[in-house]
Amino acid sequence: MDEKYFPEKIEEKWQQRWAESGAFEAEADPARPHFYCLEMLPYPSGFLHMGHVRNYSIGDALAWYKRLRGFNVLHPIGWDSFGQPAEQAAIKRGIQPRDWTEQNIAHMRGQLKRLGISYDWRREIAAHAPEYYKWDQWFFLKMFERGLVYRKLAPVNWCPKEETVLSNEQSSGGVCWRCGTPVERRDLEQWFIRITDYAEQLLDDMREIEDGWPERVLTMQRNWIGRSEGAYVDFAVQGRDEKIRVFTTRIDTIYGATAVVLSAEHPLLKSLLEGSSLKSDVERFVERVREARRRPAAPDAEEEKEGVHTGLFAINPFNGEQLPIWVANYVLMEYGTGAVMCVPAHDERDFEFAQKYSLPIRQVIAPITHEQEPSGFEPRLGVDQSTEMQQAFTDYGVLVNSGEWSGKLSQDAMREMAQHAKERGFGEPAVTYRLRDWGISRQRFWGAPIPVIYCERCGIVPVPEEDLPVILPERAEFTGVGQSPLAGVREFVETSCPRCGGPARRETDTMDTFIDSSWYFFRYCDPHNDREPFDREKVAYWTPVDQYIGGIEHAVMHLLYTRFWTKFMRDIGLVRFNEPVKKLLTQGMVTNIVPETGEWKAMSKSLGNGVDPDEMIEAYGADAVRLFILFAAPPENELRWSESGIDGAVRFLRRVYHLVVRWREAMRDAPRDAPTEFSPEARRIRHATHRTIARVTDDFERLHFNTGVAAMMELVNELSDFRVEPQKASPAELFVMREALEALVVMLAPYAPHVAEEMWEGLGHEGGLLGSGARWPEAEAAWARKEELEIPVQVNGKVRARLRVAPETADEELRRLALADERVRARIEGREVARVIVVPQRLVNIVVK
């Protein structure tokens, strides 16, 4: 151990030691408690940014803490290495995606190692490796066998910049999740996964994780799944055989329906318009709506409601009334059935639409009085109240103007009316979801090939399992015309049918990259298995994941998909549980000032406010960067970048290092057994040590890393004020300093592991923290309590004295001591003491007249 703190030298030394000793390698051990610590795997873009550093520093601190608590810790890493950016880079640089990706992985791997993140590198995986994506394809086939995968022509979200299909989750808000380009709508033959078959489970099983996941994430998923209870009702088209099925959550308002409104994409629309004199008008409107949807409005913009009458009518099955059939832009095919009954009196959107197009507005729900009767309302059958109602009445209430259901409460009527529709064959009770099936087809080269073959004789034929993986070609031409580059690779496309042996062609779309990340952390448990995705018993030992750490931006993409994937794996016998992750931490963004505007924004090269981790490590050392990242803010909060903050971290580490250097020689003679007597100074140090152990331990259990650092800083202040010379220290003083320094070094290890290892060795331990059997210190309750309390004494509300007493001092004794204090006696002499108020361990207040 050098006299001075040289971060680069120390960090190189210990990174080499860890690699040589396999310090972080983990294998199943039934004799020890286990802990699976996981951070979301990175996309290999070429460099780590400070958001990565924060994510991985949080995870690594927790992994170190659990190891030091005696846990067998699995802490792996890999690469989400398929995806569109690699193709864009290939076009821009004239290289193949594989070359670009693997160069980036090599660089980022080096950065992670330089940070000293304690990964078991033997378990490293990469999505673009055939031995990994073989199992993506295997899962596709298993889902295909069970009818969970299907192909259909469907309107899809299309990113014109990246020239590929996006799922609903990836185009939320009308823009591409990766590049921000406005999304268009196109009709394409696509492959889908029936995630909707698991919608109810995805909602119900949240009960298992609600104590361990942020409520914000669970709320986002609930809203995205969007469960709605209601009823289907079939409206017959007048003079036609077709029926229009609508979904409504308020069947109690059906007597107030004054129109049926279709989405511009409704599948019945084409046949309904045959022979209609308004066909051309409706088609022009439909095209205008579709064009508008290719140019999404600005976020939060309110779209003006527009519609066109088709000239057709539908029959309300409850009262036989003829209702005009309209097409409108505010009805979406993605929700319900793509058709709604327009009830202007009781729906805000319908109210606005009816006012614009002069549709009747008829109130059929009235407010409830205490007698459960309509308040001041006279039912008037068939009367248009468009000039009387100023806004829609959307609450539940009492039905009026509703035939035999008039006078019933909404909740009762909804149940009875849905059952009535079912019994008469024109509807049924129903549950629908906002969630739509997951479109997984991508028109890109750099992804896992979909294992399907098209044969003119046999149709769609899945690739036999024994022929997996379907290998991605080494190279392709990138035309930029919106067709998968694989279509131009003749040797890939042309094949033979596995059933009849005749000529056939391969599917040229590749899978959405969220397939890769839906199950990757199960593969970490058994990364080199070439017979199955993973060994069930190995996975049973390590999973579910104990702590997952990643960004909130994946709340309704990756985190929803992986919950679904786990349930499918459970159903085919690969795992034995419902939920893949016990606890989730969504860390906040790392922000920095944008030079041009002075605003704090998430770090970005394009904004000019990015910070290169390599430069920070070069200047300050990896330990200081990690310590600052963990100390600057609570993990779930935004972290504002400050280079002066890193400088402060260096100063703190230097102070601790110099303390160890100062005392290390004396530690050779320090006793290990606690003495029976302590000097006042030694008692002060021992109390401070155990209070700090208790605080830092509690902070780690709650993932409050920043306050743990603050507690250690206070301890360092206490130790620095210990003025005893090491060579003149008594055995008791040597004992408390050994105890304090060893506890401090072990507690610092999760934050700054390299220098902690160096100091541990300097204190006389061989084999490193983990190799020498170091364990997280335990706080002794008696010493963790404050040795004495300072109790202010007030006279008529003003502090006149302070008492120093033991924490267990009784209230009556505090009263006696306060009244006996000379400074208090001087204030109350000759006056009547009216009351003495004792707040235990906090305050004594004397009230005098």
Side-chain angles (χ1 to χ4, degrees), residues 315-557:
I315 308 301
N316 186 332
F318 273 83
N319 60 10
E321 185 178 3
Q322 295 182 18
L323 305 179
I325 300 174
W326 286 67
V327 179
N329 63 347
Y330 74 95
V331 180
L332 304 178
M333 200 62 220
E334 289 83 0
Y335 304 106
T337 64
V340 302
M341 60 182 198
C342 178
V343 185
H346 303 292
D347 183 276
E348 292 174 353
R349 296 177 311 159
D350 294 345
F351 186 87
E352 182 183 338
F353 186 72
Q355 284 189 316
K356 180 171 183 176
Y357 291 102
S358 300
L359 293 174
I361 299 175
R362 188 162 61 241
Q363 186 171 2
V364 294
I365 307 292
I368 301 173
T369 66
H370 290 298
E371 294 78 23
Q372 294 186 343
E373 291 294 336
S375 177
F377 184 83
E378 292 294 332
R380 292 173 292 166
L381 183 61
V383 175
D384 178 9
Q385 294 157 270
S386 56
T387 60
E388 300 175 22
M389 296 190 70
Q390 301 303 309
Q391 61 185 19
F393 177 70
T394 59
D395 291 341
Y396 295 120
V398 175
L399 274 67
V400 295
N401 212 7
S402 298
E404 65 185 272
W405 286 278
S406 294
K408 290 185 178 288
L409 295 176
S410 289
Q411 292 89 336
D412 295 333
M414 286 191 292
R415 183 178 61 255
E416 293 176 15
M417 295 169 87
Q419 186 62 30
H420 176 82
K422 180 179 180 181
E423 290 171 357
R424 282 156 180 76
F426 58 76
E428 60 185 329
V431 174
T432 66
Y433 302 90
R434 180 177 183 264
L435 181 68
R436 288 294 176 261
D437 283 341
W438 177 9
I440 63 165
S441 296
R442 297 295 178 265
Q443 291 67 44
R444 63 168 66 112
F445 168 78
W446 195 235
I450 293 175
V452 164
I453 291 170
Y454 299 99
C455 173
E456 289 189 8
R457 181 182 302 174
C458 304
I460 296 175
V461 182
V463 172
E465 284 185 29
E466 59 269 21
D467 292 342
L468 299 181
V470 177
I471 297 288
L472 196 67
E474 286 293 319
R475 58 186 61 248
E477 293 294 325
F478 299 94
T479 62
V481 297
Q483 184 183 38
S484 171
L486 279 173
V489 183
R490 181 177 175 183
E491 59 271 25
F492 175 83
V493 175
E494 295 181 358
T495 186
S496 57
C497 175
R499 286 183 183 165
C500 70
R505 60 182 179 85
R506 293 191 186 278
E507 172 64 76
T508 57
D509 284 353
T510 55
M511 296 189 207
D512 180 11
T513 55
F514 280 100
I515 297 287
D516 309 319
S517 58
S518 289
W519 68 281
Y520 74 100
F521 45 87
F522 293 93
R523 183 69 175 177
Y524 283 146
C525 301
D526 190 19
H528 307 298
N529 194 326
D530 61 359
R531 302 176 309 280
E532 54 187 340
F534 46 77
D535 181 273
R536 292 161 174 78
E537 294 307 314
K538 290 181 179 179
V539 161
Y541 174 81
W542 288 113
T543 59
V545 172
D546 293 284
Q547 181 69 61
Y548 201 17
I549 303 160
I552 189 72
E553 66 271 16
H554 290 299
V556 292
M557 289 193 287

Side-chain angles (χ1 to χ4, degrees), residues 420-724:
H420 176 82
K422 180 179 180 181
E423 290 171 357
R424 282 156 180 76
F426 58 76
E428 60 185 329
V431 174
T432 66
Y433 302 90
R434 180 177 183 264
L435 181 68
R436 288 294 176 261
D437 283 341
W438 177 9
I440 63 165
S441 296
R442 297 295 178 265
Q443 291 67 44
R444 63 168 66 112
F445 168 78
W446 195 235
I450 293 175
V452 164
I453 291 170
Y454 299 99
C455 173
E456 289 189 8
R457 181 182 302 174
C458 304
I460 296 175
V461 182
V463 172
E465 284 185 29
E466 59 269 21
D467 292 342
L468 299 181
V470 177
I471 297 288
L472 196 67
E474 286 293 319
R475 58 186 61 248
E477 293 294 325
F478 299 94
T479 62
V481 297
Q483 184 183 38
S484 171
L486 279 173
V489 183
R490 181 177 175 183
E491 59 271 25
F492 175 83
V493 175
E494 295 181 358
T495 186
S496 57
C497 175
R499 286 183 183 165
C500 70
R505 60 182 179 85
R506 293 191 186 278
E507 172 64 76
T508 57
D509 284 353
T510 55
M511 296 189 207
D512 180 11
T513 55
F514 280 100
I515 297 287
D516 309 319
S517 58
S518 289
W519 68 281
Y520 74 100
F521 45 87
F522 293 93
R523 183 69 175 177
Y524 283 146
C525 301
D526 190 19
H528 307 298
N529 194 326
D530 61 359
R531 302 176 309 280
E532 54 187 340
F534 46 77
D535 181 273
R536 292 161 174 78
E537 294 307 314
K538 290 181 179 179
V539 161
Y541 174 81
W542 288 113
T543 59
V545 172
D546 293 284
Q547 181 69 61
Y548 201 17
I549 303 160
I552 189 72
E553 66 271 16
H554 290 299
V556 292
M557 289 193 287
H558 162 59
L559 290 171
L560 186 65
Y561 295 144
T562 196
R563 293 183 60 226
F564 154 72
W565 209 272
T566 300
K567 296 176 196 309
F568 174 72
M569 292 195 298
R570 174 205 61 200
D571 290 348
I572 62 174
L574 289 178
V575 300
R576 302 165 188 160
F577 44 81
N578 300 319
E579 291 293 330
V581 173
K582 295 178 183 177
K583 292 186 178 181
L584 172 70
L585 171 67
T586 52
Q587 88 280 357
M589 293 284 189
V590 180
T591 63
N592 198 8
I593 292 176
V594 178
E596 291 185 1
T597 65
E599 296 177 281
W600 287 91
K601 296 281 188 180
M603 285 189 182
S604 165
K605 278 188 173 182
S606 62
L607 293 176
N609 68 337
V611 173
D612 186 345
D614 283 346
E615 292 180 6
M616 294 298 101
I617 294 170
E618 186 72 31
Y620 300 101
D623 282 337
V625 172
R626 292 170 54 139
L627 182 65
F628 166 72
I629 283 284
L630 294 168
F631 174 58
E636 66 275 9
N637 290 5
E638 173 190 315
L639 187 156
R640 291 195 166 190
W641 182 256
S642 166
E643 201 158 330
S644 63
I646 300 186
D647 196 47
V650 173
R651 290 196 301 273
F652 172 66
L653 293 176
R654 193 175 289 133
R655 285 186 71 195
V656 179
Y657 190 88
H658 288 164
L659 265 174
V660 172
V661 168
R662 179 169 176 248
W663 283 89
R664 60 179 173 171
E665 292 298 325
M667 291 295 96
R668 295 175 182 174
D669 301 321
R672 291 215 166 264
D673 295 328
T676 56
E677 297 292 333
F678 295 93
S679 67
E681 275 293 279
R683 291 181 65 84
R684 177 179 67 82
I685 293 298
R686 195 160 200 228
H687 275 293
T689 298
H690 284 270
R691 285 198 303 270
T692 304
I693 293 170
R695 286 178 59 187
V696 177
T697 302
D698 182 62
D699 288 339
F700 255 107
E701 292 296 330
R702 296 181 297 140
L703 304 184
H704 290 186
F705 304 107
N706 56 316
T707 51
V709 176
M712 287 188 286
M713 288 178 171
E714 292 176 16
L715 177 60
V716 170
N717 290 337
E718 295 275 5
L719 299 179
S720 299
D721 289 342
F722 190 51
R723 299 302 180 186
V724 176

Side-chain angles (χ1 to χ4, degrees), residues 828-844:
I828 66 175
E829 190 172 356
R831 303 170 72 180
E832 180 185 350
V833 176
R835 284 186 300 165
V836 178
I837 303 167
V838 177
V839 180
Q841 298 189 348
R842 297 284 301 279
L843 174 72
V844 178

Side-chain angles (χ1 to χ4, degrees), residues 209-223:
I209 56 176
E210 59 187 4
D211 291 337
W213 284 44
E215 181 55 38
R216 181 184 175 193
V217 173
L218 297 178
T219 298
M220 291 171 72
Q221 289 203 8
R222 287 190 191 100
N223 292 342

